[in-house]
Amino acid sequence: MKRFPFLRADFTASLVVFLVAVPLCVGVAVASGVPAELGLVTGVVGGLLTGLLPGSSFQVSGPAAGLTVLVFEAVKEYGLGVLGALVLAAGVLQLVMGALKLGRWFRAISVAVVQGMLAGIGLVLIAGQLYALADARAPGGGLANIGALPRLIGDTIGSGTARSALAVGAGTIAVLVLWPRWRRGARMLPAPLAAVALATTAVRVLDLPVARVRVSGLLDAIQPPGPADLGRLADVGVLGTVLAFALIASAESLFSAAAVDRLHDGPRTDYDRELMAQGAGNTVCGILGALPMTAVIVRSAANVQAGARTKASRVLHGVWLLLFAAAFPAALGVVPVAALAGVLVHAGWKLLPLRELRPLWRKHRGEAVVLLATAIAIVTVNMFEGVLIGLLLAVAKTAWETSQVQLEIHTPERDGPIRVRAVGNATFLRLPKLLDQLEALPADRDVELDVSGLRHLDHACEAALANWAEQHRRSRSRAVEPVS
């Protein structure tokens, strides 16, 4: 113990993280439309490989709810075999970005866009998992799922099996909400594991006719991508999905790192190395045909709060996941799907920034608009394009706010030129207002326009001001021309 002074603390923390990770790994896999074992495979890689690599000492990686929607759409469109190729390419892209020192630049992404991204993911996740709560099949994407909710309600009311599944899922959510309030119980058992265990026991004892998780052998679930699957990477649509995987996984992981760094006093995260660690993990996950991984804030926070002192805790958590998946795969077959859906509905709800939205609207209304627009775009369009829309809105908002220009107008009492001094940043965004002020000046007076106070003058404004000056000179000439 003297050679490993923190072994006891890390060992205890690893068990806590393992207990939190099991239902999340399985739940994310089921919601993504892939075998449950693939979620455990990603969790194992996140612990054993990413956990060993430098970057962040306390972050724990695995399949995350944030990529569930995107993975589901990819598997539905391209097939399960192509998933490994997508994850492999995304991992290689992350490695390249890390080698190019791009990790730190993810901190420059607008927080409103990230919150909007998570909110959109949460809404789509909740809308999809409401069907799993009633053992029903979701009709499609975000809007389709939301639009079909009235029919789901009617079908659930008229079906005893659906009502039983809904009771199991609702009970799971209730335990997730109430369990942390029982401090003694929460210290002994993490809320997700307690909720799933209680739901599974209730289904077993009452012999409820609800759907269970389908399981197969761990090795049977691993399907490395073949040459045909890798060949699909040449498709433009597939490349867009790869880019979405890489960017969203990287942003979520690095923002999680920033959040985890605020929870402890240990070494800070090296963002470029952490990005490469995530890339290495996703590369291996792709080779194994598993789910993409990100750093998961729920597991990472549990790791810190459980007293972890070194990265040994996250590596050991991977060992426990491997042992569990290899020795007790049949244990997953008794878990009701509705219970896992309840875990994911609760996780999706926690992604919604409800508490932050009201103060954000009061203090920074533009940021709140970007957040809401990003979330709505993700729900109505898709993940990748929704994030792009959010980024464009954030850039436009910043450009508008920084493009501040004022005209200081000095009009002498006697005849003489009107002196106009422009101050600030003159861009095309402020050009209409700028020209309105200049055109309101008297046409029969000389005007001296001083642009030395401008910190920035773009080409559009420069051309427009030159054109206005020429037009004003001509109108002035006509105004003073003697009448014959």
Side-chain angles (χ1 to χ4, degrees):
M1 293 296 291
K2 291 182 179 180
R3 294 184 61 186
F4 305 99
F6 304 127
L7 182 59
R8 178 177 296 177
D10 289 330
F11 180 84
T12 303
S14 71
L15 290 174
V16 172
V17 178
F18 160 71
L19 295 176
V20 172
V22 168
L24 289 177
C25 285
V26 176
V28 169
V30 172
S32 300
V34 305
E37 294 84 358
L38 291 183
L40 293 172
V41 171
T42 299
V44 170
V45 175
L48 297 183
L49 176 61
T50 308
L52 282 171
L53 296 176
S56 172
S57 297
F58 299 103
Q59 277 207 129
V60 182
S61 299
L67 284 172
T68 300
V69 177
L70 194 58
V71 172
F72 180 83
E73 293 176 352
V75 171
K76 184 178 179 181
E77 184 170 356
Y78 305 118
L80 181 59
V82 182
L83 177 62
L86 295 172
V87 178
L88 172 60
V92 172
L93 183 56
Q94 286 181 301
L95 285 170
V96 172
M97 291 191 296
L100 294 176
K101 307 292 185 182
L102 299 181
R104 67 195 71 180
W105 287 99
F106 278 88
R107 291 179 291 176
I109 297 177
S110 168
V111 175
V113 174
V114 176
Q115 289 182 323
M117 177 189 74
L118 295 176
I121 291 169
L123 291 172
V124 176
L125 184 61
I126 291 171
Q129 291 306 301
L130 287 176
Y131 292 85
L133 279 177
D135 278 353
R137 187 179 181 85
L143 276 182
N145 291 343
I146 294 173
L149 286 177
R151 186 177 65 184
L152 174 66
I153 294 173
D155 293 343
T156 303
I157 292 175
S159 171
T161 302
R163 291 197 302 270
S164 298
L166 180 61
V168 172
T172 302
I173 296 173
V175 173
L176 287 168
V177 173
L178 298 175
W179 189 265
R181 299 183 182 181
W182 183 29
R183 296 182 179 179
R184 184 178 178 182
R187 285 195 298 266
M188 293 187 298
L189 204 61
L193 187 66
V196 173
L198 289 173
T200 302
T201 302
V203 169
R204 184 84 172 181
V205 171
L206 300 176
D207 194 23
L208 297 177
V210 299
R212 269 80 161 179
V213 177
R214 295 180 180 179
V215 295
S216 60
L218 188 64
L219 294 179
D220 295 335
I222 296 176
Q223 298 180 1
D229 300 322
L230 295 173
R232 294 292 303 275
L233 294 175
D235 297 347
V236 175
V238 173
L239 287 176
T241 303
V242 169
L243 186 60
F245 273 14
L247 293 180
I248 293 173
S250 301
E252 188 170 343
S253 295
L254 297 182
F255 275 97
S256 172
V260 172
D261 280 349
R262 292 194 290 267
L263 299 177
H264 65 85
D265 298 324
R268 305 293 95 178
T269 299
D270 184 317
Y271 285 84
D272 296 319
R273 289 185 174 183
E274 178 63 19
L275 184 56
M276 294 192 73
Q278 295 294 327
N282 274 318
T283 300
V284 174
C285 286
I287 293 173
L288 298 175
L291 289 169
M293 74 164 57
T294 69
V296 185
I297 187 63
V298 176
R299 299 177 212 184
S300 303
N303 188 38
V304 174
Q305 293 165 0
R309 303 297 296 273
T310 70
K311 64 176 63 177
S313 61
R314 57 185 192 172
V315 176
L316 285 172
H317 124 274
V319 173
W320 310 142
L321 280 175
L322 178 60
L323 293 176
F324 176 83
F328 306 105
L332 299 176
V334 300
V335 177
V337 173
L340 297 179
V343 172
L344 291 174
V345 167
H346 183 259
W349 180 262
K350 292 174 70 175
L351 291 176
L352 305 181
L354 299 177
R355 293 183 179 179
E356 295 86 352
L357 190 56
R358 180 174 294 180
L360 186 65
W361 180 263
R362 291 175 179 174
K363 296 181 180 179
H364 305 284
R365 189 158 296 183
E367 293 286 304
V369 170
V370 171
L371 188 158
L372 292 172
T374 304
I376 293 171
I378 289 173
V379 173
T380 56
V381 187
N382 58 51
M383 176 74 64
F384 183 58
E385 293 180 10
V387 172
L388 286 181
I389 290 171
L391 289 173
L392 291 175
L393 285 175
V395 171
K397 180 192 76 68
T398 302
W400 176 262
E401 291 177 347
T402 57
S403 177
Q404 298 288 344
V405 61
Q406 294 180 341
L407 294 183
E408 299 175 353
I409 302 174
H410 177 67
T411 305
E413 296 180 359
R414 300 180 181 181
D415 291 341
I418 299 175
R419 294 181 175 85
V420 180
R421 186 170 185 266
V423 179
N425 298 301
T427 70
F428 69 95
L429 295 172
R430 299 290 180 173
L431 191 53
K433 182 178 180 180
L434 189 63
L435 291 177
D436 286 343
Q437 290 180 278
L438 291 174
E439 290 169 356
L441 297 174
D444 58 348
R445 298 282 295 274
D446 287 331
V447 176
E448 292 182 357
L449 181 59
D450 178 12
V451 296
S452 62
L454 292 176
R455 295 186 294 273
H456 174 72
L457 176 65
D458 69 8
H459 178 69
C461 274
E462 184 179 12
L465 292 178
N467 183 55
W468 173 84
E470 177 62 22
Q471 290 182 347
H472 184 81
R473 185 187 63 78
R474 292 177 180 177
S475 63
R476 166 68 175 152
S477 299
R478 289 194 297 270
V480 300
E481 187 177 286
V483 180
S484 56

